Amino acid sequence: MRFRNVRPLMGILLITLAVVALWWWENLGREQFIMESVMVAKDNIEKGRVIKESDFIEIRSMSESTVPGAITPKSLYQIKGFVANQYIPKLSQVVQKMFTEKGQILGEGKSIFPIKDIWIDSRSSSLRKGDVIDIFSEEGSVYMGTYPIAYVKDENEQEVVNTENNPSDEILQRHFSSSVIAHVEIIAELEEYKKIRDVAEEQNIKLLIIQKGESINE
């Protein structure tokens, strides 16, 4: 008699376990066994940009949709601090060959040129090496291009960096710097630089430097 009462309970238990197992597979198991974690670009990454961890977000990708050699959360360290050697669109998967160690590449036909302090009308105090900037005429009507920053220098030609009290590489967290910015040096082609120099020196028009970065609202 007691055994008869147990059998229905065991049946109910097995049905419950089957339902739970099915729910787990559909909601968690399928993703764990079939999909894998990869890193994709959080926003568009310009060529020449120095890579930070915050430039990427983690997504789950089907195996057949994952690029061979795609950077994962565990392998992100392999490109952190490297330089993008090509333009990378937002939400694109990335592989190591898209990046080069900082200082080893300028890009074909490119060099480092100074944007003199006397040319600059306005710029952010949070500019650092590796940032990407847009350059406009002082009133903002003439666009002169987008460029990665090679160096940020003070009046003594020393590089301006974050202090130990402010080690974060996030733009909105750069409250303290090693010194006051005097000028910046950009990576550009000679013809691009000639146009900037002509506007600043020949036309005597000051430059507006706009820092590109993560959205404040994100």
Side-chain angles (χ1 to χ4, degrees), residues 11 42 49 78 102 129 149 161-163 165 173 188 199:
K42 180 179 178 182
R49 182 182 178 89
Q78 296 177 355
K102 188 165 38 176
K129 180 177 183 176
I149 293 180
V161 297
N162 293 337
T163 65
N165 293 329
Q173 300 300 318
V199 168

Side-chain angles (χ1 to χ4, degrees), residues 16-33:
T16 302
L17 289 175
V19 171
V20 170
L22 180 62
W23 177 89
W24 177 84
W25 172 254
E26 291 296 331
N27 291 275
L28 301 173
R30 186 189 303 274
E31 182 174 305
Q32 292 184 20
F33 285 96

Side-chain angles (χ1 to χ4, degrees), residues 54-176:
S54 59
D55 290 325
F56 302 94
I57 57 175
E58 179 182 346
I59 67 166
R60 302 289 290 180
S61 172
M62 298 291 289
S63 298
E64 60 267 26
S65 301
T66 301
V67 175
I71 294 296
T72 67
K74 290 184 178 180
S75 62
L76 183 59
Y77 74 92
Q78 296 177 355
I79 62 171
K80 187 177 179 180
F82 279 40
V83 176
N85 55 33
Q86 66 180 71
Y87 171 76
I88 302 173
K90 181 178 180 179
L91 297 181
S92 295
Q93 295 181 37
V94 294
V95 296
Q96 193 167 18
K97 67 179 181 181
M98 294 179 177
F99 308 92
T100 305
E101 285 191 76
K102 188 165 38 176
Q104 290 191 359
I105 186 171
L106 284 176
E108 185 177 354
K110 295 183 182 292
S111 190
I112 298 175
F113 299 99
I115 302 297
K116 300 178 183 179
D117 57 340
I118 59 173
W119 295 355
I120 300 173
D121 176 69
S122 179
R123 50 87 187 146
S124 170
S125 62
S126 67
L127 288 175
R128 299 289 185 271
K129 180 177 183 176
D131 287 350
V132 177
I133 58 172
D134 288 330
I135 299 181
F136 292 85
S137 59
E138 58 188 322
E139 74 284 358
S141 61
V142 180
Y143 168 67
M144 283 173 278
T146 299
Y147 307 96
I149 293 180
Y151 297 100
V152 179
K153 299 289 186 69
D154 63 17
E155 61 181 6
N156 297 315
E157 288 292 325
Q158 298 299 308
E159 186 174 1
V160 176
V161 297
N162 293 337
T163 65
E164 292 183 1
N165 293 329
N166 177 215
S168 174
D169 206 23
E170 298 297 326
I171 292 174
L172 294 180
Q173 300 300 318
R174 299 173 184 174
H175 305 304
F176 304 99

